[in-house]
Amino acid sequence: MARVQRMLDACAELLDEGGYSELSTTRIAERAGVAIGSVYQFFPDKKAITQALGLRYLDLFSVRVGERLAERHFSRWTDAIDAVVDEYIDMHRNVPGFGSLHFGDVVDIRLLDGVADNNRIIALRLRELVTSVAGVEDSEELDRAIRVAVESADATLKLAFRHVPEGDQDLIEETKLLVRSYLERHFGSN
């Protein structure tokens, strides 16, 4: 629905301008050009709107990573890590609100799902992509390794963007190396 998309777009813009603490349903309604009642028709509060935005980002990230993986042939599946990190970086730099919200961790560690933390949800999505697109066999070991890789990448990418708005390129490259090396150690270089 176009109204909901306008509200989510307004939320993204406002997050970039003032962060979550400055966000309000009133400001979202004003920016989206809708009545405050329209906001409450779909979202009970600002957290619910940011949750919907975080889920939109997760879906967009999954689609874009899937496309990147499908368009290239990798001699080793762990080489696909660069494509995943590059997509995250591109979204951080170019998708309104993503750099401020990421996948919702700024608001709530369980924003994307009431039970699992945000990085767990991202790890599950990436595991699905790795098994479907790269043809890697699913296993508990793969699940654990991708969870560790996501947590590690999350920490180092936050560091890369902490003081450099476009991301410290050296730290971005270190993130890729860290995750690739870790996964290759567990699954070999093939």
Side-chain angles (χ1 to χ4, degrees):
M1 169 175 279
R3 240 182 337 166
V4 171
Q5 293 309 313
R6 282 198 326 267
M7 288 183 258
L8 293 175
D9 292 343
C11 180
E13 292 168 8
L14 290 166
L15 282 168
D16 277 349
E17 291 171 15
Y20 185 73
S21 63
E22 298 295 316
L23 190 66
S24 72
T25 53
T26 302
R27 292 186 73 210
I28 292 168
E30 289 169 357
R31 177 68 59 96
V34 300
I36 190 70
S38 291
V39 173
Y40 290 123
Q41 178 183 358
F42 297 100
F43 306 105
D45 53 28
K46 74 178 187 176
K47 183 176 178 182
I49 298 172
T50 54
Q51 179 182 35
L53 184 61
L55 290 168
R56 180 169 85 168
Y57 290 152
L58 181 61
D59 289 342
L60 179 62
F61 180 71
S62 297
V63 167
R64 289 171 62 158
V65 167
E67 289 171 354
R68 276 189 192 238
L69 296 178
E71 71 188 22
R72 293 198 244 168
H73 174 73
F74 300 98
S75 56
R76 302 173 305 185
W77 76 267
T78 52
D79 290 340
I81 297 308
D82 289 1
V84 174
V85 172
D86 288 342
E87 190 55 53
Y88 178 89
I89 299 304
D90 186 64
M91 286 182 67
H92 198 285
R93 291 174 177 161
N94 299 307
V95 174
F98 185 81
S100 300
L101 185 64
H102 307 280
F103 292 111
D105 57 341
V106 173
V107 177
D108 183 345
I109 194 165
R110 289 188 171 83
L111 185 69
L112 300 177
D113 182 281
V115 177
D117 65 65
N118 299 333
N119 279 348
R120 180 68 175 134
I121 300 302
I122 294 163
L124 289 169
R125 287 279 181 103
L126 289 175
R127 185 172 131 205
E128 290 171 8
L129 284 169
V130 165
T131 56
S132 66
V133 177
V136 175
E137 187 175 324
D138 200 4
S139 66
E140 285 184 36
E141 181 184 14
L142 177 66
D143 179 59
R144 183 176 49 256
I146 290 184
R147 285 173 55 202
V148 169
V150 166
E151 291 290 345
S152 301
D154 181 52
T156 55
L157 289 173
K158 282 178 182 169
L159 177 62
F161 282 92
R162 188 172 298 149
H163 301 293
V164 180
E166 289 297 308
D168 181 312
Q169 193 58 42
D170 291 334
L171 289 173
I172 292 168
E173 294 305 318
E174 290 294 323
T175 300
K176 292 176 184 180
L177 177 62
L178 171 80
V179 174
R180 260 195 331 269
S181 299
Y182 169 74
L183 292 174
E184 285 174 356
R185 182 169 182 243
H186 281 281
F187 300 101
S189 59
N190 293 330

